[in-house]
Amino acid sequence: MADEIKVGLLLPYSGVYAALGGEIEAGFNLGLATFGAQTDDTFVVVTEDTEVKPPVGLAKAKKLALQDKADVIVGVVSSGVLGALRDFVDGAGVPLIVANAGNDAATGEDCSPFITRFSFSNSQVNRPMGQYLVDQGITKVFTMAPDYAAGHQQIGAFKAAFEAAGGEVVGQEFTPFQKTQDFGPYLANAKSSDAQAVYVFYAGGEAISYVKQYDSFGLKENLPLFGSGFLTSSLYVNAEGPAAEGVIASSYYVPTIDNPENAAFVEAYKAANNRLPSEFAVAGYDAAHALVLASANGASDRASLAKALSTSSFDGPRGATSIDPATNNIVQPIYVYETVSAADGSGMTQKVLASLAPEQDPVNGCTLAN
Ligand code: BEZ
């Protein structure tokens, strides 16, 4: 039997991203069960709640590493929490598998041999949408996002690519994170602008409120809604309902991707959880896959795990998935999808409009390759 590996699952189980945390954990557990058949007793899991608060996330990471003696930490949903943990995990030499938070700096100027990301970077998901919108004849856009690191980075990457392709951002709003309940005043500003479309990043509970209010404000018809795929995630698109119909977004995963690994994943996830998986579930699942592979190759202590994780490569539900050793960020295809009503009346589903080539971030100041 392989040496025991203690995993600290560090996720939000409360706050605006609580549902995302539960979903990543469900994906992680399925990944261990699927790939760890030979090593069932190898992984011992301890969970902690970040509450989506950077100081709480840091305190919990310290507890997992110093008190529980975790060999590896998996999780972190918010870019703000990831920013708060970065120096601690780097200094303590504890491998962190990022299973959501897209904070660009963590695999750019603040990269670390101990941080490996199996989810996405904020830039990676949004960059391709700049050219995509211009190709659809849309050259004037109004943007919105929550006012914290992920909101600024996701919109910043879209804006840079959109402007490089000839587009113009004619107005933008950053709404108070975790505090905005009424998007009305911001939507009114979008409506009175000369934009042809709105491009946003919202996730979790904020995404549900935003999509519903956008629809009830009557904007969808004249001002089509685009964004990064978290806006209409399969995790909560049925809570948005028909308000989400017609929204076009980019993501690294939707459950309708057509490949054999995804077919097996969707079936197993449905059987275990009685619902379709989302992009959050796949990040947990792939994190577990990579850990099992690292363990099967003999890694068990912090240093050997960090090294093995940074050379991961496999075909998974999202397609060919690998870690770029120059940044420790994932390289993966990006999908553009439209939310549509399922023909069988089962609710909302995702129609893939484009499968874009694997997206690799520039090194952005990371010196891992030097
Ligand atoms: C982030 O904070 O990086 C993030 C949170 C939820 C969805 C996507 C990104």
Side-chain angles (χ1 to χ4, degrees):
M1 198 183 98
D3 289 345
E4 180 181 294
I5 294 176
K6 191 174 261 191
V7 181
L9 261 192
L10 182 59
L11 291 165
Y13 294 104
S14 55
V16 75
Y17 291 153
L20 284 57
E23 181 81 344
I24 292 168
E25 182 172 9
F28 185 77
N29 289 339
L30 179 63
L32 285 188
T34 303
F35 302 107
Q38 313 305 319
T39 53
D40 270 349
D41 300 330
T42 305
F43 297 96
V44 176
V45 179
V46 187
T47 57
E48 284 296 344
D49 181 6
T50 66
E51 303 170 27
V52 204
K53 294 179 182 151
V56 174
L58 175 58
K60 297 290 179 64
K62 287 183 174 170
K63 185 246 173 200
L64 287 169
L66 304 176
Q67 192 177 315
D68 298 323
K69 308 251 182 284
D71 298 300
V72 57
I73 296 176
V74 178
V76 189
V77 163
S78 156
S79 283
V81 175
L82 179 53
L85 298 190
R86 187 268 165 209
D87 285 353
F88 171 68
V89 296
D90 180 66
V94 191
L96 169 64
I97 298 183
V98 180
N100 187 71
N103 196 330
D104 289 331
T107 50
E109 71 263 30
D110 293 335
C111 70
S112 161
F114 293 99
I115 298 177
T116 311
R117 179 152 47 203
F118 283 83
S119 47
F120 61 93
S121 76
N122 287 327
S123 292
Q124 184 180 41
V125 176
N126 290 276
R127 203 167 39 226
M129 287 301 264
Q131 185 66 54
Y132 185 85
L133 261 71
V134 170
D135 289 348
Q136 308 307 307
I138 295 169
T139 53
K140 287 185 177 202
V141 158
F142 195 99
T143 65
M144 286 191 219
D147 189 9
Y148 81 108
H152 286 270
Q153 292 176 4
Q154 297 219 8
I155 295 301
F158 164 75
K159 184 172 185 277
F162 186 57
E163 288 175 350
E168 185 192 352
V169 172
V170 296
Q172 61 179 27
E173 296 282 0
F174 288 102
T175 55
F177 180 43
Q178 307 203 66
K179 293 193 188 100
T180 307
Q181 309 218 316
D182 178 10
F183 291 98
Y186 309 102
L187 296 175
N189 289 343
K191 189 176 181 181
S192 64
S193 75
D194 64 342
Q196 295 164 277
V198 171
Y199 187 92
V200 305
F201 159 66
Y202 284 103
E206 289 195 322
I208 299 172
S209 305
Y210 186 88
V211 167
K212 285 185 154 177
Q213 290 180 34
Y214 198 89
D215 186 46
S216 59
F217 224 75
L219 289 183
K220 243 179 21 181
E221 206 163 311
N222 294 325
L223 214 46
L225 181 56
F226 292 83
S228 49
F230 313 105
L231 186 62
T232 43
S233 170
S234 53
L235 178 58
Y236 37 76
V237 73
N238 282 322
E240 297 169 348
E245 198 158 8
V247 176
I248 294 180
S250 56
S251 185
Y252 52 93
Y253 180 77
V254 286
T256 48
I257 293 171
D258 186 12
N259 70 46
E261 289 78 14
N262 189 39
F265 171 57
V266 168
E267 195 183 319
Y269 194 87
K270 267 167 61 181
N273 301 288
N274 210 19
R275 62 175 188 268
L276 286 168
S278 66
E279 67 274 36
F280 308 109
V282 85
Y285 181 78
D286 283 352
H289 190 176
L291 258 184
V292 171
L293 289 176
S295 160
N297 286 329
S300 61
D301 59 72
R302 291 173 173 177
S304 60
L305 282 168
K307 203 155 182 247
L309 290 167
S310 70
T311 58
S312 301
S313 171
F314 47 80
D315 286 334
R318 38 186 149 179
T321 305
S322 63
I323 297 297
D324 175 3
T327 59
N328 277 358
N329 194 43
I330 193 163
V331 181
Q332 60 188 342
I334 297 293
Y335 301 89
V336 181
Y337 74 95
E338 178 177 357
T339 298
V340 296
S341 285
D344 63 2
S346 60
M348 310 312 291
T349 186
Q350 301 77 29
K351 179 177 171 193
V352 175
L353 303 178
S355 302
L356 307 178
E359 187 72 20
Q360 180 169 12
D361 275 356
V363 293
N364 284 335
C366 177
T367 53
L368 285 179
N370 298 349

